[in-house]
C-alpha cells in the first residue's frame, strides 16, 4: 500500500507543529532558508516555512495547514500538509506559509 503511494520513507519522530526545532533541519536548496518538508494529501511533498504567520499576512495560494491524516492504513505518515482553500480563515488565524512565498525569485 505504502509503496503504491510512493510513501516509502522510514517513520520519522513525531513532528510537533508548535516546535520549530528539528533534527538536522532541512534547508531550501535555492536560498538556504530553514524549511519544513511535509507530505501533502495528494502524494507530493511541500516545503513550508519554519514559522506560522497570521492568515492576513499570507496570500491565499500559499496558505497551508498541518493536519493529522485520518486514514489509519497509511502508517508511514501521521502529519500531512493541506492547502487552506474554500474556507476563509480569520485574519489572525495562524497558517503555515509555503516556503515559495518567501524564497528568492527565479
Ligand atoms: Zn528558498
Amino acid at each position: 500500500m505504502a509503496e503504491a503511494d510512493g510513501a516509502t520513507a522510514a517513520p520519522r519522530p513525531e513532528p510537533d507543529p508548535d516546535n520549530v526545532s528539528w533534527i538536522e533541519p532541512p534547508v531550501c536548496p535555492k536560498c538556504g532558508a530553514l524549511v519544513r518538508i511535509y507530505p501533502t494529501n495528494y502524494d507530493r511533498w511541500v516545503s513550508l516555512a519554519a514559522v506560522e504567520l497570521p492568515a492576513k499576512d499570507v496570500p491565499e495560494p500559499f496558505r497551508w495547514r498541518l493536519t493529522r491524516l485520518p486514514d489509519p492504513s497509511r502508517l508511514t505518515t501521521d502529519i500531512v500538509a493541506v492547502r487552506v482553500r474554500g474556507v476563509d480563515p480569520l485574519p489572525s488565524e495562524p497558517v503555515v506559509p509555503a516556503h515559495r512565498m518567501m524564497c528568492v525569485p527565479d
Side-chain angles (χ1 to χ4, degrees):
M1 277 297 204
E3 282 188 31
D5 280 349
T8 52
R12 295 171 301 181
E14 188 95 331
D16 180 351
D18 294 322
N19 184 355
V20 293
S21 68
W22 191 275
I23 312 148
E24 293 182 26
V27 292
C28 172
K30 264 172 76 181
C31 70
L34 204 63
V35 294
R36 294 188 288 180
I37 299 171
Y38 281 100
T40 68
N41 54 340
Y42 48 91
D43 293 328
R44 300 276 301 275
W45 291 73
V46 62
S47 294
L48 301 180
V51 293
E52 296 184 338
L53 289 175
K56 65 177 166 57
D57 293 336
V58 182
E60 196 274 339
F62 299 110
R63 291 173 185 165
W64 289 80
R65 186 165 284 155
L66 298 176
T67 186
R68 285 193 178 276
L69 200 71
D71 181 356
S73 70
R74 291 183 52 169
L75 300 173
T76 50
T77 310
D78 272 333
I79 307 266
V80 293
V82 180
R83 272 280 309 282
V84 179
R85 53 171 115 218
V87 286
D88 222 357
L90 296 172
S92 60
E93 197 176 325
V95 296
V96 186
H99 171 70
R100 206 152 52 84
M101 187 185 105
M102 32 190 89
C103 193
V104 291
D106 287 315

